[in-house]
Amino acid sequence: MKKLALGVTALVTAVTLSAAILPVTTAHAAITVESSAYKSVTLFSVEELETFTGETLTSESITSFYNKLATASTWETADYSAKEAKAIALDFTRNQSKADSLLKKLVKNNALYMKIVVLNKASISAAFDIQGYNDSNNQTPDPSTPSEVQGTLEELDISIEYKQGDVELSYEVKSNGKIKAEYENELTNTEMSGTKAQAKIESLLKKIDFQNMDKNQIIQVVLKELNLKDNYREFEFEAEFTNNTKLEFKQK
């Protein structure tokens, strides 16, 4: 079976601020809620997002706006380091449907703020959620909480066995940032490696929400994106995260 490592992630969420958190004088600017050597929490108004994306956020521009947020250079413009910017952009890339939902909320209510949390610990991890106005009981979960996110995805194996043959894929981000990807489909006699396999697998990964999908949802996404039928003999999935937790299952 083959391995997957996804690298660092960053938290993205829209949040409404109470007066106790945000002074009136900073209602339309980036607000640093927390900043340390290990963790930063920053809130961006719609106007601030528009400034460093160079885009106006409307119902019609959500896709193009999202594309800018999924680009590392955008976050470097917002004064994040290159490594942090890459992490934030990567999290947007992996969670497009959720990001689109948040952007739609921002379009409807410019009192909402985009919340970016970056953890810079030995194990960089993240989580995102919606926090209501002045709702102290609905706080954004600690990104290090395993129930919300298992940490940074480090390795992944997917193997699907059919009567006629197997389908396997692997995707690995090396310590130097280079990506090793392989895809094999014995049903169609297809083998890919390098950039072709990388593109195919990354297209799939964009559809998987490791934080919120259950195993049946993950299976259905994989089958749909790889154009496979559900009459498999066995579907095996194993993911290891940087904080020594695992997400694994086998379905027959």
Coordinates of all heavy atoms in Angstrom, one line a residue, residues 10-84:
A10 N -3.8 25.1 7.7 CA -4.1 26.4 8.4 C -5.6 26.5 8.5 O -6.3 26.0 7.7 CB -3.5 27.6 7.7
L11 N -6.0 27.2 9.6 CA -7.5 27.3 9.9 C -8.1 28.5 9.2 O -7.6 29.6 9.3 CB -7.6 27.4 11.4 CG -9.0 27.7 11.9 CD1 -10.0 26.6 11.6 CD2 -9.0 28.1 13.3
V12 N -9.3 28.3 8.6 CA -10.0 29.4 8.0 C -11.4 29.3 8.5 O -12.1 28.3 8.4 CB -10.0 29.3 6.5 CG1 -10.7 30.5 5.9 CG2 -8.6 29.2 6.0
T13 N -12.0 30.4 9.1 CA -13.4 30.4 9.5 C -13.9 31.8 9.6 O -13.1 32.8 9.8 CB -13.6 29.8 10.9 OG1 -14.9 29.8 11.2 CG2 -12.8 30.5 12.0
A14 N -15.2 32.0 9.3 CA -15.8 33.3 9.4 C -16.4 33.5 10.8 O -17.0 32.6 11.3 CB -16.9 33.5 8.4
V15 N -16.2 34.6 11.4 CA -16.7 34.8 12.8 C -17.2 36.2 13.0 O -16.6 37.2 12.5 CB -15.5 34.5 13.7 CG1 -14.3 35.4 13.5 CG2 -16.0 34.7 15.2
T16 N -18.3 36.3 13.7 CA -18.8 37.6 14.1 C -18.2 38.0 15.4 O -18.2 37.2 16.3 CB -20.3 37.6 14.2 OG1 -20.8 37.0 13.0 CG2 -20.9 38.9 14.4
L17 N -17.8 39.3 15.5 CA -17.1 39.7 16.7 C -18.0 40.5 17.7 O -18.8 41.3 17.2 CB -15.9 40.6 16.4 CG -14.8 39.9 15.5 CD1 -13.7 40.9 15.2 CD2 -14.3 38.7 16.2
S18 N -17.8 40.3 18.9 CA -18.6 41.1 19.9 C -17.8 42.3 20.2 O -16.6 42.4 20.0 CB -18.8 40.3 21.2 OG -17.5 40.1 21.8
A19 N -18.4 43.3 20.8 CA -17.7 44.6 21.1 C -16.6 44.3 22.1 O -15.6 45.0 22.1 CB -18.7 45.6 21.7
A20 N -16.7 43.3 22.9 CA -15.7 43.0 23.9 C -14.4 42.5 23.3 O -13.3 42.7 23.8 CB -16.2 41.9 24.9
I21 N -14.5 42.0 22.1 CA -13.3 41.5 21.4 C -12.8 42.5 20.4 O -11.6 42.7 20.3 CB -13.7 40.2 20.6 CG1 -14.1 39.1 21.5 CG2 -12.5 39.7 19.8 CD1 -14.6 37.8 20.8
L22 N -13.6 43.2 19.7 CA -13.2 44.1 18.7 C -13.6 45.5 19.0 O -14.8 45.8 19.0 CB -13.8 43.6 17.3 CG -13.5 44.5 16.1 CD1 -12.0 44.4 15.9 CD2 -14.3 44.0 14.9
P23 N -12.7 46.5 19.1 CA -13.0 47.9 19.3 C -13.7 48.4 18.1 O -13.3 48.0 17.0 CB -11.7 48.5 19.6 CG -10.8 47.4 20.0 CD -11.3 46.2 19.3
V24 N -14.5 49.4 18.2 CA -15.2 50.0 17.1 C -14.2 50.6 16.1 O -14.4 50.5 14.9 CB -16.2 51.1 17.6 CG1 -16.8 51.8 16.4 CG2 -17.3 50.4 18.4
T25 N -13.1 51.1 16.6 CA -12.2 51.8 15.7 C -11.5 50.9 14.8 O -10.8 51.3 13.8 CB -11.1 52.5 16.6 OG1 -10.5 51.6 17.5 CG2 -11.7 53.6 17.4
T26 N -11.6 49.5 15.0 CA -10.9 48.6 14.1 C -11.9 47.7 13.4 O -11.5 46.6 13.0 CB -9.9 47.7 14.9 OG1 -10.7 47.0 16.0 CG2 -8.8 48.5 15.6
A27 N -13.1 48.1 13.2 CA -14.1 47.3 12.7 C -13.9 46.9 11.3 O -14.5 45.9 10.8 CB -15.5 48.1 12.8
H28 N -13.0 47.5 10.5 CA -12.8 47.2 9.1 C -11.3 46.9 8.8 O -10.8 47.2 7.8 CB -13.3 48.3 8.2 CG -14.8 48.5 8.4 ND1 -15.7 47.6 8.0 CD2 -15.5 49.6 8.9 CE1 -17.0 48.1 8.3 NE2 -16.8 49.2 8.8
A29 N -10.6 46.4 9.8 CA -9.2 46.1 9.6 C -8.9 44.7 10.2 O -9.6 44.1 10.9 CB -8.3 47.1 10.3
A30 N -7.7 44.2 9.8 CA -7.3 42.9 10.4 C -7.0 43.1 11.9 O -6.3 44.0 12.3 CB -6.0 42.4 9.7
I31 N -7.5 42.1 12.7 CA -7.3 42.2 14.1 C -6.5 41.0 14.6 O -6.9 39.9 14.3 CB -8.7 42.2 14.8 CG1 -9.6 43.3 14.2 CG2 -8.5 42.3 16.3 CD1 -9.1 44.7 14.4
T32 N -5.5 41.3 15.3 CA -4.7 40.2 15.9 C -5.3 39.8 17.3 O -5.3 40.6 18.2 CB -3.3 40.6 16.1 OG1 -2.7 40.9 14.8 CG2 -2.5 39.4 16.7
V33 N -6.0 38.7 17.4 CA -6.6 38.2 18.6 C -5.6 37.6 19.5 O -5.6 37.7 20.7 CB -7.7 37.2 18.3 CG1 -8.3 36.7 19.6 CG2 -8.8 37.9 17.5
E34 N -4.6 36.8 18.9 CA -3.6 36.2 19.7 C -2.4 36.0 18.8 O -2.4 35.8 17.6 CB -4.1 34.8 20.1 CG -3.1 34.0 20.9 CD -3.6 32.7 21.4 OE1 -4.9 32.5 21.3 OE2 -2.9 31.8 21.9
S35 N -1.2 36.2 19.4 CA 0.0 36.1 18.6 C 1.2 35.7 19.6 O 1.4 36.3 20.6 CB 0.4 37.5 18.0 OG 1.6 37.3 17.3
S36 N 1.8 34.5 19.2 CA 2.9 34.0 20.0 C 3.8 33.3 19.0 O 3.6 33.2 17.8 CB 2.4 33.1 21.1 OG 1.9 31.9 20.5
A37 N 4.9 32.8 19.6 CA 5.8 32.0 18.7 C 5.2 30.7 18.2 O 5.7 30.2 17.2 CB 7.1 31.7 19.5
Y38 N 4.1 30.3 18.8 CA 3.5 29.0 18.4 C 2.1 29.2 17.8 O 1.6 28.3 17.1 CB 3.3 28.2 19.7 CG 4.7 27.9 20.4 CD1 4.9 28.6 21.6 CD2 5.6 27.1 19.9 CE1 6.2 28.4 22.2 CE2 6.8 26.9 20.5 CZ 7.1 27.6 21.7 OH 8.3 27.4 22.3
K39 N 1.4 30.3 18.0 CA 0.1 30.4 17.5 C -0.3 31.8 17.2 O 0.0 32.7 17.9 CB -0.9 29.8 18.6 CG -2.4 29.9 18.1 CD -3.3 29.3 19.3 CE -4.7 29.3 18.9 NZ -5.6 28.8 20.0
S40 N -0.9 32.0 16.0 CA -1.5 33.3 15.7 C -2.9 33.2 15.3 O -3.3 32.2 14.6 CB -0.7 34.0 14.5 OG -0.9 33.3 13.3
V41 N -3.7 34.1 15.8 CA -5.2 34.2 15.4 C -5.5 35.6 14.9 O -5.3 36.6 15.7 CB -6.1 33.9 16.7 CG1 -7.5 33.9 16.3 CG2 -5.7 32.5 17.3
T42 N -5.9 35.7 13.7 CA -6.1 37.0 13.1 C -7.5 37.0 12.4 O -7.9 36.0 11.8 CB -5.0 37.3 12.0 OG1 -3.7 37.1 12.6 CG2 -5.1 38.7 11.5
L43 N -8.1 38.1 12.5 CA -9.5 38.3 12.0 C -9.5 39.3 10.9 O -8.9 40.4 11.1 CB -10.4 38.7 13.1 CG -10.5 37.7 14.3 CD1 -11.0 38.5 15.5 CD2 -11.3 36.5 14.0
F44 N -10.0 39.0 9.7 CA -10.0 39.9 8.6 C -11.5 40.3 8.2 O -12.3 39.5 8.0 CB -9.4 39.3 7.4 CG -7.9 39.0 7.6 CD1 -7.5 37.7 8.0 CD2 -7.0 39.9 7.3 CE1 -6.1 37.5 8.2 CE2 -5.6 39.7 7.5 CZ -5.2 38.4 7.9
S45 N -11.7 41.6 8.1 CA -13.0 42.1 7.6 C -13.0 41.9 6.1 O -12.0 41.6 5.4 CB -13.2 43.6 7.9 OG -12.2 44.3 7.1
V46 N -14.2 42.0 5.5 CA -14.4 41.9 4.0 C -13.5 42.9 3.3 O -12.8 42.6 2.3 CB -15.8 42.1 3.6 CG1 -16.0 42.2 2.1 CG2 -16.7 40.9 4.1
E47 N -13.5 44.1 3.8 CA -12.7 45.2 3.2 C -11.2 44.8 3.2 O -10.5 45.1 2.2 CB -12.9 46.5 3.9 CG -14.3 47.1 3.7 CD -15.3 46.6 4.8 OE1 -15.0 45.6 5.4 OE2 -16.3 47.2 4.9
E48 N -10.7 44.2 4.3 CA -9.3 43.8 4.4 C -9.0 42.7 3.4 O -8.0 42.7 2.7 CB -9.0 43.4 5.8 CG -7.5 43.2 6.1 CD -6.7 44.5 6.2 OE1 -7.4 45.5 6.3 OE2 -5.5 44.4 6.3
L49 N -9.9 41.7 3.3 CA -9.7 40.7 2.4 C -9.7 41.2 0.9 O -8.8 40.7 0.1 CB -10.9 39.6 2.5 CG -10.9 38.8 3.8 CD1 -12.2 38.0 3.8 CD2 -9.7 37.9 3.9
E50 N -10.5 42.1 0.7 CA -10.6 42.7 -0.7 C -9.3 43.5 -1.0 O -8.8 43.5 -2.1 CB -11.7 43.7 -0.8 CG -13.1 42.9 -0.8 CD -14.3 43.9 -0.9 OE1 -14.1 45.0 -0.5 OE2 -15.3 43.4 -1.4
T51 N -8.7 44.1 0.0 CA -7.4 44.8 -0.2 C -6.3 43.9 -0.6 O -5.6 44.2 -1.6 CB -7.0 45.5 1.1 OG1 -8.0 46.5 1.5 CG2 -5.7 46.3 1.0
F52 N -6.1 42.8 0.1 CA -4.9 42.0 -0.3 C -5.2 41.0 -1.3 O -4.3 40.3 -1.9 CB -4.2 41.4 0.9 CG -5.0 40.5 1.8 CD1 -5.3 39.2 1.4 CD2 -5.4 40.9 3.0 CE1 -6.0 38.3 2.2 CE2 -6.2 40.1 3.8 CZ -6.4 38.8 3.4
T53 N -6.5 40.7 -1.7 CA -6.8 39.9 -2.9 C -6.9 40.7 -4.2 O -6.7 40.1 -5.2 CB -8.1 39.1 -2.7 OG1 -9.2 40.0 -2.5 CG2 -8.0 38.2 -1.5
G54 N -7.2 42.0 -4.0 CA -7.4 42.8 -5.2 C -8.7 42.5 -5.9 O -8.9 42.9 -7.0
E55 N -9.6 41.8 -5.2 CA -10.9 41.4 -5.7 C -12.0 42.0 -4.9 O -11.9 42.2 -3.7 CB -11.1 39.9 -5.7 CG -10.1 39.1 -6.6 CD -10.8 38.9 -7.9 OE1 -12.0 39.0 -8.1 OE2 -10.0 38.5 -8.8
T56 N -13.1 42.3 -5.5 CA -14.3 42.7 -4.8 C -15.2 41.5 -4.5 O -15.5 40.8 -5.5 CB -15.1 43.8 -5.6 OG1 -14.3 44.9 -5.8 CG2 -16.4 44.2 -4.8
L57 N -15.6 41.3 -3.3 CA -16.4 40.1 -3.0 C -17.9 40.3 -3.2 O -18.5 41.2 -2.6 CB -16.2 39.7 -1.5 CG -16.9 38.5 -1.0 CD1 -16.5 37.2 -1.9 CD2 -16.7 38.2 0.4
T58 N -18.4 39.6 -4.2 CA -19.8 39.6 -4.5 C -20.3 38.2 -4.8 O -19.5 37.3 -4.8 CB -20.1 40.5 -5.8 OG1 -19.5 39.8 -6.9 CG2 -19.6 41.9 -5.7
S59 N -21.6 38.0 -4.9 CA -22.1 36.7 -5.2 C -21.5 36.1 -6.5 O -21.3 34.9 -6.6 CB -23.6 36.7 -5.3 OG -24.2 37.1 -4.1
E60 N -21.2 37.0 -7.4 CA -20.7 36.5 -8.7 C -19.2 36.3 -8.7 O -18.7 35.6 -9.6 CB -21.0 37.6 -9.8 CG -22.5 37.7 -10.1 CD -23.3 38.4 -9.0 OE1 -22.7 39.2 -8.3 OE2 -24.5 38.2 -8.9
S61 N -18.5 36.8 -7.7 CA -17.1 36.7 -7.7 C -16.5 35.7 -6.7 O -15.3 35.7 -6.5 CB -16.4 38.1 -7.4 OG -16.7 38.5 -6.1
I62 N -17.4 34.9 -6.1 CA -17.0 34.0 -5.1 C -15.9 33.1 -5.5 O -14.9 32.8 -4.9 CB -18.2 33.2 -4.5 CG1 -19.0 34.2 -3.6 CG2 -17.7 32.0 -3.7 CD1 -20.2 33.5 -3.0
T63 N -16.1 32.5 -6.7 CA -15.1 31.6 -7.3 C -13.7 32.2 -7.5 O -12.7 31.7 -7.0 CB -15.6 31.0 -8.6 OG1 -16.8 30.2 -8.4 CG2 -14.5 30.0 -9.1
S64 N -13.7 33.4 -8.1 CA -12.4 34.0 -8.3 C -11.8 34.5 -7.0 O -10.6 34.5 -6.8 CB -12.6 35.2 -9.3 OG -13.5 36.2 -8.8
F65 N -12.7 34.9 -6.1 CA -12.2 35.4 -4.8 C -11.6 34.2 -4.0 O -10.5 34.3 -3.4 CB -13.3 35.9 -4.0 CG -12.9 36.9 -2.9 CD1 -12.9 38.3 -3.1 CD2 -12.6 36.5 -1.6 CE1 -12.5 39.2 -2.1 CE2 -12.2 37.3 -0.6 CZ -12.2 38.7 -0.9
Y66 N -12.2 33.1 -4.1 CA -11.7 31.8 -3.5 C -10.4 31.5 -4.1 O -9.4 31.1 -3.3 CB -12.7 30.7 -3.6 CG -12.0 29.3 -3.4 CD1 -11.8 28.8 -2.2 CD2 -11.6 28.6 -4.5 CE1 -11.1 27.6 -2.0 CE2 -11.0 27.4 -4.4 CZ -10.7 26.9 -3.1 OH -10.1 25.7 -2.9
N67 N -10.2 31.6 -5.4 CA -9.0 31.2 -6.0 C -7.8 32.1 -5.5 O -6.7 31.6 -5.4 CB -9.1 31.4 -7.6 CG -10.0 30.3 -8.2 OD1 -10.1 29.2 -7.6 ND2 -10.6 30.6 -9.3
K68 N -8.1 33.3 -5.2 CA -7.1 34.2 -4.7 C -6.7 33.7 -3.3 O -5.5 33.7 -2.9 CB -7.5 35.6 -4.7 CG -7.6 36.3 -6.0 CD -6.2 36.5 -6.6 CE -6.2 37.2 -7.9 NZ -6.6 38.6 -7.8
L69 N -7.7 33.4 -2.5 CA -7.4 32.9 -1.1 C -6.7 31.6 -1.1 O -6.1 31.2 -0.1 CB -8.8 32.8 -0.3 CG -9.5 34.1 -0.1 CD1 -10.8 33.8 0.7 CD2 -8.7 35.2 0.6
A70 N -6.8 30.8 -2.1 CA -6.1 29.5 -2.2 C -4.8 29.7 -2.9 O -4.1 28.7 -3.3 CB -7.0 28.5 -3.1
T71 N -4.3 30.9 -3.0 CA -3.0 31.2 -3.5 C -2.0 31.8 -2.4 O -2.4 32.7 -1.8 CB -3.1 32.2 -4.7 OG1 -4.0 31.7 -5.7 CG2 -1.7 32.5 -5.3
A72 N -0.9 31.2 -2.3 CA 0.0 31.6 -1.2 C 0.4 33.0 -1.3 O 0.5 33.7 -0.2 CB 1.3 30.7 -1.2
S73 N 0.7 33.5 -2.5 CA 1.1 34.9 -2.6 C 0.1 35.9 -2.0 O 0.5 37.0 -1.6 CB 1.4 35.2 -4.1 OG 0.2 35.1 -4.9
T74 N -1.2 35.6 -2.1 CA -2.2 36.4 -1.5 C -1.9 36.6 0.0 O -2.0 37.8 0.6 CB -3.6 35.8 -1.7 OG1 -3.9 35.8 -3.1 CG2 -4.7 36.7 -1.0
W75 N -1.6 35.6 0.7 CA -1.4 35.6 2.2 C 0.0 36.2 2.5 O 0.1 36.8 3.6 CB -1.6 34.2 2.8 CG -3.0 33.8 2.6 CD1 -3.5 32.9 1.7 CD2 -4.1 34.3 3.3 NE1 -4.8 32.8 1.8 CE2 -5.3 33.6 2.7 CE3 -4.3 35.2 4.3 CZ2 -6.6 33.8 3.2 CZ3 -5.6 35.4 4.8 CH2 -6.7 34.7 4.2
E76 N 0.9 36.2 1.6 CA 2.2 36.9 1.8 C 1.9 38.4 1.8 O 2.5 39.1 2.5 CB 3.2 36.5 0.8 CG 3.7 35.0 0.9 CD 4.9 34.7 0.0 OE1 5.9 35.5 0.0 OE2 4.8 33.7 -0.8
T77 N 1.0 38.8 0.9 CA 0.6 40.2 0.8 C 0.0 40.6 2.2 O 0.0 41.8 2.6 CB -0.4 40.4 -0.3 OG1 0.2 40.0 -1.5 CG2 -0.8 41.9 -0.4
A78 N -0.7 39.7 2.8 CA -1.3 40.0 4.1 C -0.3 39.9 5.3 O -0.7 39.8 6.5 CB -2.5 39.0 4.4
D79 N 1.0 39.8 4.9 CA 2.1 39.8 5.9 C 2.4 38.5 6.6 O 3.0 38.5 7.7 CB 1.9 41.0 6.9 CG 2.0 42.4 6.3 OD1 2.8 42.5 5.3 OD2 1.4 43.3 6.8
Y80 N 1.9 37.4 6.0 CA 2.3 36.1 6.6 C 3.6 35.7 5.9 O 4.0 36.1 4.8 CB 1.3 35.1 6.3 CG 0.0 35.2 7.1 CD1 -1.1 35.9 6.7 CD2 0.0 34.6 8.4 CE1 -2.2 36.0 7.5 CE2 -1.1 34.7 9.2 CZ -2.3 35.4 8.8 OH -3.4 35.5 9.5
S81 N 4.4 34.9 6.7 CA 5.6 34.4 6.1 C 5.3 33.4 4.9 O 4.2 33.0 4.8 CB 6.4 33.6 7.2 OG 5.8 32.4 7.5
A82 N 6.3 33.1 4.1 CA 6.1 32.2 3.0 C 5.5 30.9 3.4 O 4.6 30.3 2.8 CB 7.4 32.1 2.2
K83 N 6.1 30.3 4.5 CA 5.6 29.0 5.0 C 4.2 29.1 5.5 O 3.4 28.2 5.3 CB 6.6 28.6 6.1 CG 6.3 27.2 6.6 CD 7.3 26.7 7.7 CE 7.0 25.3 8.2 NZ 8.0 24.9 9.2
E84 N 3.9 30.2 6.3 CA 2.5 30.3 6.8 C 1.5 30.5 5.7 O 0.4 30.0 5.7 CB 2.5 31.5 7.8 CG 3.2 31.3 9.1 CD 3.4 32.5 9.9 OE1 3.3 33.6 9.3 OE2 3.5 32.4 11.1

